[in-house]
Amino acid sequence: MKKISGRKWIGWTGAVAIGLIISLGFVTAGNEERNFSIVKNLDIFYSLFRELNTYYVEETNPEELVETGIGAMLESLDPYTTYIPESEMDDFNFMTTGEYAGIGALITGREDYVYISEPYKGFPADKGGLKAGDKILAIDGVDMKGKKTEDVSNKLKGPANTDVTVTVKRYGQEDPLDISIVRKAIQIDPVSYFGMVDEETGIIILDNFTQDCSRKVEKALKNLKEEQGVEKIILDLRGNPGGLLDEAVKLANLFLPRGSEVVSTRGKIEQWDKVYRTSKAPVDTVIPLVVMINRGSASASEIVAGAIQDHDRGVIVGNRSFGKGLVQTTRSLPYNAKLKVTTAKYYIPSGRCIQALDYSQRNEDGSVGYVPDSLITEFNTKNGRTVYDGGGISPDVVVPYEKYSNMTFALVAQQTIFDYVNRFAAENNTVPVPEEFSVTDEIYGNFTDYVTALDSFRYTSESRERFKKLKEAAEKEGYYDANADAFENLEKKLDVSVSEDLDNFRDEVDDLLADEVLKRYYYRQGAIQYALQDDNVLEKAMEVIGSNSEYQGILNGTVLSHAGDRRQR
């Protein structure tokens, strides 16, 4: 995009502002007070910007100033109303379509360099020989030291069928490697896994609601039905942040009869209000169905889970969902930019909106709180079961949320597991298949030795964090001096021991260690196959779907459900 010099940019901005003011005068002539407020504040903004550009002691960057102003303005509304400049349109398109042109790999920043964290199976990075753990030194001869992850990503992307040379440093090899890769159109399959979990039950894992994801789920469902003889289906929407509303409607259509309401939208512009119904013949309206959700299930995921629950078509298992009941519409702006703006709220078939946070009522510090219980309304499913609005989708069967220890968070945040597996993969050519793999005592012992030898690994326990607050309160209230010895003794006992905590929290660390190891040898699908073998939510889902009396009892309301529990925040 051609850059506009500071002075010319100011003149252009003024013309745009004046044009906008004139157009607003015609559009809102019926609301003089509001019209005057808009005109006045646009005039103030233009004048302020002109004065800054003229008199500020240092040279200003017009684009950065305006983007900062836009960002602050939109931040006061909700986190989903965002400005997308031309430079970020590739990322936006990938979020909605799952497609881009590049090498097909995840990357992660570490100190001064960016690393390959996961090559996608069968894509150019994988075929070209890039491996997880490779440190990117240069791209097409351009030094990447100190570059941001975004900058490296942009260098790796490019038109399909063009060459890119990536220079990497690989653990265990002294000399850098120059790897030539031909970029291709990359489309990530939103169905990361489907298969049988026992002789009767199949599972479909959907990661996001990108374009055509419903068709991918339909293909997986038909494969399970026609080729593998599935008799029960589990749809896994855990961690699925949502995406395209139309795709949510199409996915629900796989299980709901033609003409069933899935969701409706209501907003400021009544002409845009719409009721979305299933329009095609379903694949199966009777097969027992469980939908798994958690706190990471949002937006389109909640539409599907909510429609299934409100129509009593299946049982919802897991944890309360995120609670995003807001609809965004993308509007075009000049210079190939976009505005993604919240235009409506969506309502699932029972009539409830599952929006959990009230962005219209902020606290004095600017924070946003949950919709208060006093404003929560009771609704009913098709079979008369009680459900509530204002807080996401509450599962029919709740599985306690598993919280990781501070040490485990530190291992992930500091990428200690990632670094260890770089070394492990360099020293081990193969590992057992996912169904037979386990983190043996030998592997875990080596990992423990590796971590305890690191001077850089630091963390604090939750107990010590609470002790610190207790000590501060005691000092403030005058109790500390009289009990100093007791406080000091307790503080010593609460000192973290890396080796002890690695032993105490081995179950947590084992799962994360196995996930990273298996991705190196069997890609993402192998890691999923391993994880499904010890998954407490899946275990509960199979227990429910395996008992016809419990399954039907939940749907009929004769077996106690947690769907109406408003306390699950």
Side-chain angles (χ1 to χ4, degrees):
M1 184 177 83
K2 185 178 180 181
K3 296 289 184 182
I4 304 172
S5 65
R7 293 289 180 184
K8 289 181 179 178
W9 195 92
I10 287 294
W12 172 83
T13 304
V16 170
I18 293 170
L20 182 58
I21 290 169
I22 293 172
S23 66
L24 285 170
F26 287 109
V27 173
T28 60
N31 190 342
E32 293 183 4
E33 184 177 345
R34 180 174 178 79
N35 180 56
F36 174 74
S37 178
I38 293 173
V39 171
K40 180 185 77 172
N41 284 288
L42 281 173
D43 193 21
I44 291 172
F45 179 83
Y46 163 62
S47 300
L48 181 149
F49 193 94
R50 180 188 60 202
E51 298 299 312
L52 276 177
N53 185 73
T54 304
Y55 297 113
Y56 188 69
V57 65
E58 296 176 357
E59 197 66 31
T60 60
N61 183 315
E63 289 188 20
E64 286 186 2
L65 281 177
V66 171
E67 284 197 23
T68 300
I70 291 172
M73 175 176 62
L74 299 183
E75 188 177 350
S76 69
L77 302 176
D78 65 59
Y80 314 112
T81 296
T82 56
Y83 169 66
I84 308 164
E86 183 182 22
S87 60
E88 296 177 13
M89 282 306 300
D90 284 345
D91 291 335
F92 174 73
N93 290 333
F94 174 64
M95 291 290 290
T96 55
T97 66
E99 183 175 336
Y100 68 99
I103 66 171
L106 292 177
I107 57 176
T108 183
R110 293 292 313 280
E111 298 174 347
D112 288 336
Y113 286 95
V114 172
Y115 289 71
I116 300 293
S117 63
E118 184 182 346
Y120 296 126
K121 183 179 181 180
F123 286 109
D126 180 37
K127 291 181 177 179
L130 282 176
K131 295 183 179 297
D134 285 348
K135 180 197 291 186
I136 301 175
L137 302 179
I139 299 174
D140 285 335
V142 179
D143 187 7
M144 290 293 110
K145 183 177 181 180
K147 299 291 185 182
K148 297 179 181 178
T149 305
E150 178 185 0
D151 297 329
V152 175
S153 176
N154 290 335
K155 288 286 288 183
L156 291 173
K157 293 175 183 175
N161 300 316
T162 58
D163 295 331
V164 60
T165 299
V166 185
T167 304
V168 300
K169 178 69 173 67
R170 182 168 295 166
Y171 184 91
Q173 297 192 22
E174 185 174 344
D175 297 325
L177 303 172
D178 288 327
I179 298 177
S180 182
I181 300 170
V182 179
R183 298 183 180 98
K184 295 291 183 183
I186 308 297
Q187 185 163 22
I188 307 303
D189 193 337
V191 176
S192 57
Y193 180 84
F194 73 92
M196 301 294 289
V197 287
D198 65 17
E199 292 181 355
E200 299 180 339
T201 311
I203 186 171
I204 300 172
I205 301 177
L206 182 66
D207 293 334
N208 47 62
F209 282 81
T210 51
Q211 190 173 329
D212 288 335
C213 74
S214 58
R215 184 174 57 83
K216 299 291 181 66
V217 174
E218 180 178 5
K219 183 178 178 181
L221 178 59
K222 288 182 176 178
N223 178 284
L224 291 171
K225 283 172 61 68
E226 297 167 6
E227 299 183 24
Q228 302 188 51
V230 73
E231 297 179 11
K232 303 161 187 173
I233 287 291
I234 296 174
L235 178 62
D236 190 351
L237 298 180
R238 291 175 295 175
N240 186 320
L244 301 177
L245 184 148
D246 286 345
E247 289 297 322
V249 176
K250 292 176 183 178
L251 194 150
N253 197 165
L254 301 178
F255 302 102
L256 295 174
R258 190 199 305 266
S260 300
E261 180 179 340
V262 176
V263 64
S264 62
T265 60
R266 302 174 217 162
K268 184 177 182 180
I269 302 176
E270 291 185 7
Q271 297 93 317
W272 289 4
D273 292 353
K274 185 175 179 180
V275 177
Y276 294 82
R277 298 181 182 275
T278 56
S279 59
K280 298 181 179 180
V283 174
D284 197 320
T285 60
V286 296
I287 190 170
L289 173 67
V290 163
V291 180
M292 297 193 297
I293 60 172
N294 65 7
R295 297 180 184 182
S297 305
S299 188
S301 294
E302 296 174 295
I303 290 175
V304 171
I308 295 298
Q309 187 178 59
D310 283 355
H311 284 289
D312 296 302
R313 172 61 186 88
V315 174
I316 314 301
V317 175
N319 305 120
R320 180 180 282 274
S321 63
F322 183 81
K324 179 181 180 292
L326 304 177
V327 181
Q328 283 72 49
T329 302
T330 303
R331 308 289 295 172
S332 295
L333 300 175
Y335 293 93
N336 299 317
K338 300 279 188 183
L339 171 65
K340 184 160 69 75
V341 55
T342 298
T343 55
K345 293 182 179 181
Y346 68 71
Y347 298 80
I348 49 181
S350 63
R352 54 185 168 142
C353 178
I354 54 79
Q355 178 63 26
L357 295 174
D358 186 0
Y359 294 103
S360 65
Q361 302 293 330
R362 291 181 178 269
N363 300 319
E364 291 184 3
D365 61 357
S367 62
V368 181
Y370 285 104
V371 175
D373 286 349
S374 59
L375 297 181
I376 288 176
T377 306
E378 180 179 310
F379 295 86
N380 295 108
T381 68
K382 185 177 180 180
N383 288 342
R385 296 187 295 146
T386 300
V387 288
Y388 293 90
D389 65 358
I393 302 298
S394 182
D396 301 305
V397 179
V398 176
V399 180
Y401 180 76
E402 292 186 343
K403 184 180 178 182
Y404 283 118
S405 65
N406 284 16
M407 184 205 64
T408 304
F409 272 117
L411 289 172
V412 174
Q414 298 175 38
Q415 297 186 306
T416 309
I417 293 175
F418 179 79
D419 290 341
Y420 169 76
V421 177
N422 290 342
R423 186 175 76 171
F424 178 91
E427 297 172 352
N428 296 271
N429 293 325
T430 62
V431 297
V433 295
E435 294 83 358
E436 299 175 6
F437 178 80
S438 66
V439 177
T440 63
D441 290 342
E442 180 182 0
I443 293 175
Y444 200 77
N446 288 336
F447 176 70
T448 299
D449 292 341
Y450 172 81
V451 177
T452 53
L454 292 174
D455 292 331
S456 58
F457 182 65
R458 293 284 186 274
Y459 73 98
T460 182
S461 68
E462 184 174 349
S463 298
R464 193 170 180 84
E465 288 180 351
R466 295 193 177 191
F467 171 80
K468 182 180 178 181
K469 293 180 180 179
L470 173 64
K471 182 179 176 181
E472 290 173 352
E475 289 174 338
K476 185 180 295 185
E477 295 176 355
Y479 295 118
Y480 180 79
D481 290 340
N483 301 280
D485 290 341
F487 273 98
E488 289 175 7
N489 290 333
L490 179 58
E491 187 171 12
K492 290 178 182 178
K493 291 180 180 180
L494 292 177
D495 280 343
V496 297
S497 168
V498 175
S499 59
E500 288 182 10
D501 282 353
L502 283 169
D503 184 55
N504 292 336
F505 301 111
R506 176 170 175 175
D507 287 346
E508 296 178 6
V509 180
D510 264 3
D511 290 342
L512 298 172
L513 195 54
D515 179 81
E516 190 63 46
V517 168
L518 289 169
K519 281 191 296 186
R520 305 297 178 96
Y521 298 90
Y522 301 102
Y523 303 92
R524 168 57 55 186
Q525 189 173 51
I528 292 173
Q529 287 176 303
Y530 174 85
L532 291 178
Q533 297 176 114
D534 185 22
D535 184 328
N536 64 331
V537 181
L538 176 60
E539 184 179 340
K540 188 63 179 178
M542 292 181 66
E543 178 186 319
V544 170
I545 207 170
S547 169
N548 186 61
S549 59
E550 182 177 4
Y551 178 83
Q552 294 296 339
I554 291 173
L555 297 181
N556 293 329
T558 57
V559 172
L560 181 64
S561 163
H562 293 275
D565 188 351
R566 292 177 290 177
R567 295 168 296 175
Q568 298 177 57
R569 287 294 191 185

